Amino acid sequence: VQLVESGGGLVQPGGSLRLSCAASGLIFENYAMAWYRQAPEKQRELVATFAADGRRNYADSVKGRFTISRDNIKNTVSLQMDSLKPEDTAVYYCRALYRNVYWGQGTQVTVSS
């Protein structure tokens, strides 16, 4: 199983980024997909989830600004991040969960002027 994130980078406060995670080696539609993030010297935290049944959930800190989506044909999950703030700076990880849990390698997002 492989999860490969892309789309991170440097953006100014108020800007937008779109992260993508391409999954392979699993039956994607069975998996609950999620995005986590980890800022320096902080614990990894859940950002957003997209369950296999279509339910979506968001951390309070990103509600109204971030949108998670998935494509069960292309085996991808994306995170559209708008109105970015400096406190959104972190490494963002893709996670797949069903009978096992798999993680991507992470992509850096830096929000700074």
Side-chain angles (χ1 to χ4, degrees):
V1 175
Q2 257 196 323
L3 301 176
V4 180
E5 300 101 333
S6 61
L10 173 65
V11 63
Q12 292 187 341
S16 298
L17 278 177
R18 185 176 180 86
L19 305 183
S20 292
C21 172
S24 59
L26 50 74
I27 302 175
F28 185 78
E29 62 185 16
N30 289 343
Y31 281 75
M33 301 302 296
W35 287 95
Y36 283 72
R37 67 186 180 187
Q38 188 166 17
E41 299 181 0
K42 291 191 175 180
Q43 288 191 333
R44 191 172 296 190
E45 64 173 358
L46 178 65
V47 176
T49 62
F50 201 134
D53 64 6
R55 288 176 295 168
R56 298 183 235 196
N57 282 293
Y58 298 91
D60 287 343
S61 59
V62 307
K63 277 181 184 175
R65 300 188 298 121
F66 290 12
T67 303
I68 189 170
S69 60
R70 67 187 289 165
D71 186 327
N72 287 347
I73 302 299
K74 296 181 179 179
N75 289 2
T76 59
V77 60
S78 299
L79 186 68
Q80 177 66 40
M81 305 186 295
D82 299 317
S83 302
L84 282 160
K85 305 175 181 180
E87 52 262 43
D88 295 316
T89 295
V91 177
Y92 284 71
Y93 297 90
C94 174
R95 187 221 66 196
L97 173 66
Y98 181 41
R99 291 173 179 163
N100 293 296
V101 58
Y102 302 102
W103 292 91
Q105 82 288 349
T107 185
Q108 176 70 48
V109 171
T110 303
V111 184
S112 175
S113 54

